[in-house]
Amino acid sequence: MNTLLLVNSSSRYRDAITRQVADLLVDHLAEQQTKIINRDLAQGLPFVDEKWVAANFTDPKQRTPDQLAHLKLSDNLVQELQQAEHIVIASPIYNFNLPAVLKAWIDLIARARLTFQYTEQGSEGLLKNKKAYLVIASGGVPVGSAMDFVSPYLTHVLGFIGISDITIIDANRVDLSSNQPKEFIIEQLN
């Protein structure tokens, strides 16, 4: 089954450029998908805390019911990534970086033994053979510039968990008021 995971991190719904461009991209990719998982982070996620860390580093066979409950959301987020062949991450640039909720999502999905492992040669990502699209927008920081810390960070994190086939789409360049958006998305994919 072809599965696409859409991760939206903008705190804005109406007029959010990343959401609009990500929706156009998902519409285009949906022709190839049989299932779409929509993970909207705008309502917030818990931050990693001491209980989460203790549960995560406990041998899975030894985890208590409380530890399993504490990891449940993280397990679900990891499962969504594992299921998806295509991942669309829509992120505005807030104060030169990604939204805090997207960082919380990353902390919850970067899991030793599930999304990466340590070997004698160093870390190895376990989420291979996946394609990621990063839809990024900012009101003032040009995507790909020296002030854009989002693109390189997300590229590095995804590579760390095994996803190296990544396309970055500068949502600032899409004129949503014209007929151009669909053609722009198709052009970015080729």
Side-chain angles (χ1 to χ4, degrees):
M1 177 188 303
N2 288 331
T3 301
L4 182 144
L5 171 62
L6 170 60
V7 179
N8 269 306
S9 63
S10 177
S11 59
R12 296 174 56 199
Y13 285 91
R14 193 179 127 146
D15 300 328
I17 294 170
T18 56
R19 286 181 184 275
Q20 293 175 55
V21 173
D23 286 345
L24 288 169
L25 176 59
V26 169
D27 287 346
H28 177 74
L29 295 173
E31 299 167 4
Q32 308 161 26
Q33 311 305 314
T34 55
K35 181 180 179 185
I36 297 174
I37 301 168
N38 188 348
R39 177 55 69 176
D40 193 334
L41 306 179
Q43 299 304 311
L45 288 175
F47 291 118
V48 167
D49 61 13
E50 187 173 9
K51 285 184 180 181
W52 187 93
V53 171
N56 187 49
F57 286 102
T58 297
D59 184 306
K61 297 173 190 153
Q62 304 297 319
R63 289 182 183 144
T64 67
D66 184 52
Q67 288 176 319
L68 293 172
H70 214 70
L71 290 175
K72 185 174 181 171
L73 174 60
S74 177
D75 290 339
N76 290 341
L77 297 174
V78 168
Q79 186 177 42
E80 290 173 355
L81 268 174
Q82 291 170 331
Q83 291 174 0
E85 285 84 26
H86 293 90
I87 298 115
V88 175
I89 299 174
S91 177
I93 296 177
Y94 291 161
N95 301 315
F96 307 102
N97 214 322
L98 63 156
V101 72
L102 184 53
K103 176 60 168 79
W105 179 81
I106 290 166
D107 289 343
L108 293 170
I109 61 92
R111 300 262 310 268
R113 299 181 305 271
L114 293 178
T115 60
F116 70 92
Q117 65 184 358
Y118 293 111
T119 69
E120 289 181 11
Q121 291 75 39
S123 62
E124 174 188 12
L126 299 176
L127 300 178
K128 297 179 179 165
N129 302 315
K130 297 180 185 294
K131 171 72 179 163
Y133 302 89
L134 305 178
V135 178
I136 301 172
S138 169
V141 174
V143 174
S145 73
M147 294 181 293
D148 167 16
F149 300 107
V150 174
S151 302
Y153 176 74
L154 288 175
T155 300
H156 180 80
V157 167
L158 291 172
F160 180 75
I161 62 174
I163 303 168
S164 58
D165 187 358
I166 300 168
T167 297
I168 298 171
I169 298 174
D170 181 351
N172 295 315
R173 295 181 44 219
V174 180
D175 180 2
L176 294 167
S177 65
S178 72
N179 292 332
Q180 177 243 7
K182 184 137 180 127
E183 290 77 25
F184 179 84
I185 294 298
I186 294 168
E187 177 186 307
Q188 296 297 301
L189 301 179
N190 294 328

